[in-house]
């Protein structure tokens, strides 16, 4: 088996820079482009099937609005404190969702990907596990899965416990001992429940730069501590060394802005090549602090389009044109992080491997 290089390059929802996210084509392409792992977002259907969608509200990523037989399913719900109107996975059976097709979530930025709208079906988690197994055999190495459990408290209240459903899917697919398995969530409660159910992979806590996690808000209301408490040195050490194993996590995952040193990232700091870049001058101390607490660190999401880049790295072109992505990727990939999530895995692999 060929050893993995570090940091890991994780295909964020597959390779959505080239194909609509969460489709078989996007995941297969991610591995073909060199990704070490892929990351699905996981939500549930009414009959307890785990499906891969960015959100449980699916009007922006599927053809559901084109199906008159589902018109009466359109409704308004509050999900994690946000009011949304559309169609929701928990109001459909898997057989019903299987009649839909995927479409590009960012069509104005990714017109090439949008040309594939309507071509690919929605996937179940079970479908992706089988795909990763096949891709691992083809690659001659164990490829990984970083599974994000979305809106766990919300689904728990709806009678669809994601931790229980997830563990059942892993067992059915023979994945309980898979070496490249990671579970992540913006809610630490569900990660603890996975531990209690015997989950053997790594558990990674997703941390926003602001706000509070939905599980804490559900339990404590306005008094709920925010993510900022977890990001302090004390908070990081609590995550890595809590007295209860269920309360500990193996790593954290943060947006790229938290890895960069606020106010100090300037394109003018760098020459034409990457030699001599003082990474420490342009990155925060979060990675070092988390590592000292025994936590691995992942960052999201590497995207090359001007609209998705920090202002210092944008070109004078349109929002959908690519800016100075290579320079930004080099900073992030050399910041000490253990893994990066990328919409175009080949670009991250090229920078990591010095191509």
């Amino acid at each position: 088996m060929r050893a993995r290089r570090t940091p890991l390059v994780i295909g964020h929802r597959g390779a959505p820079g080239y194909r609509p996210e969460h489709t078989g084509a996007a995941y297969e392409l991610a591995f073909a482009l060199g990704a070490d792992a892929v990351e699905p977002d996981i939500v549930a259907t009414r009959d307890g099937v785990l499906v891969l969608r960015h959100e449980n509200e699916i009007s922006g990523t599927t053809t559901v609005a084109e199906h008159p037989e589902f018109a009466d399913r359109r409704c308004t719900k509050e999900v994690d404190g946000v009011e949304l109107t559309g169609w929701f996975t928990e109001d459909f059976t898997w057989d019903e969702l299987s009649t839909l097709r995927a479409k590009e979530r960012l069509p104005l930025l990714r017109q090439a990907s949008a040309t594939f709208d309507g071509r690919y079906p929605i996937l179940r988690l079970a479908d992706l596990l089988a795909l990763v197994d096949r891709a691992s055999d083809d690659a001659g190495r164990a490829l990984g899965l970083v599974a994000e459990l979305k809106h766990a408290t919300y689904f728990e209240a709806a009678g669809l416990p994601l931790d229980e459903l997830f563990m059942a899917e892993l067992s059915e697919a023979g994945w309980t001992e898979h070496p490249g398995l990671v579970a992540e969530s913006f809610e630490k409660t569900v990660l603890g429940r996975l531990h209690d159910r015997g989950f053997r992979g790594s558990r990674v806590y997703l941390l926003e730069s602001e706000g509070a996690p939905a599980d804490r808000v559900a339990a404590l209301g306005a008094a709920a501590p925010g993510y900022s408490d977890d990001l302090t040195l004390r908070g990081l050490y609590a995550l890595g060394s809590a007295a209860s194993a269920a309360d500990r996590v193996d790593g954290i995952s943060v947006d790229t802005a938290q890895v960069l040193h606020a106010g100090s990232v300037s394109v003018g700091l760098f020459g034409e090549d990457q030699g001599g870049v003082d990474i420490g001058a342009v990155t925060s101390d979060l990675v070092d602090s988390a590592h000292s607490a025994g936590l691995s660190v992942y960052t999201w999401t590497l995207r090359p389009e001007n609209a998705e880049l920090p202002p210092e790295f944008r070109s004078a072109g349109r929002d959908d044109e690519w800016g100075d992505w290579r320079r930004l990727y080099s900073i992030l990939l050399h910041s000490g992080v253990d893994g990066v999530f990328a919409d175009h895995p080949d670009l991250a692999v090229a920078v990591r491997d010095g191509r």
Side-chain angles (χ1 to χ4, degrees), residues 189-234:
T189 301
V190 73
L191 298 178
R193 288 177 177 167
L194 285 178
H195 172 273
D196 291 342
R197 291 185 181 277
F199 180 73
R200 295 179 182 275
S202 297
R203 293 175 296 134
V204 172
Y205 189 23
L206 287 154
L207 295 169
E208 295 270 20
S209 56
E210 57 186 28
D215 52 345
R216 284 186 192 155
V217 172
L220 301 172
Y227 288 112
S228 59
D229 285 24
D230 298 305
L231 288 162
T232 65
L233 190 59
R234 180 188 295 272

Side-chain angles (χ1 to χ4, degrees), residues 9-95:
V9 171
I10 303 156
H12 182 242
R13 307 172 196 161
Y18 303 112
R19 299 290 187 276
E21 64 188 26
H22 292 310
T23 60
Y27 289 116
E28 289 169 353
L29 184 57
F31 288 130
L33 296 175
D36 302 296
V38 291
E39 184 245 19
D41 295 324
I42 297 174
V43 293
T45 67
R46 185 172 67 203
D47 51 344
V49 177
L50 296 183
V51 295
L52 313 182
R53 288 289 91 194
H54 173 49
E55 294 289 348
N56 57 323
E57 199 289 291
I58 56 173
S59 60
T61 61
T62 75
T63 57
V64 64
E66 300 170 20
H67 286 249
E69 70 272 27
F70 299 141
D72 63 349
R73 308 279 179 96
R74 189 173 187 270
C75 61
T76 298
K77 298 187 179 188
E78 184 176 299
V79 181
D80 294 351
V82 178
E83 189 174 276
L84 300 170
T85 298
W87 289 263
F88 298 82
T89 58
E90 66 270 19
D91 295 330
F92 293 81
T93 66
W94 164 245
D95 284 346

Side-chain angles (χ1 to χ4, degrees), residues 26 37 53 62 70 76 85 95 97 106 114 119 166 171 188 235 273 289 301 308 333:
R53 288 289 91 194
T62 75
F70 299 141
T76 298
T85 298
D95 284 346
L97 285 183
L106 303 171
R119 184 175 299 190
F166 183 60
S171 178
K188 193 160 72 71
D273 58 39
S289 296
T301 304
E308 303 293 337
L333 285 156

Side-chain angles (χ1 to χ4, degrees), residues 340-352:
V340 300
F341 294 88
D343 281 6
H344 303 72
D346 53 326
L347 303 185
V349 169
V351 173
R352 181 194 65 186

Side-chain angles (χ1 to χ4, degrees), residues 172-196:
E172 178 69 20
W175 261 67
T176 54
E177 304 286 342
H178 196 282
L181 180 60
V182 178
E184 62 177 6
S185 179
F186 284 103
E187 302 172 57
K188 193 160 72 71
T189 301
V190 73
L191 298 178
R193 288 177 177 167
L194 285 178
H195 172 273
D196 291 342

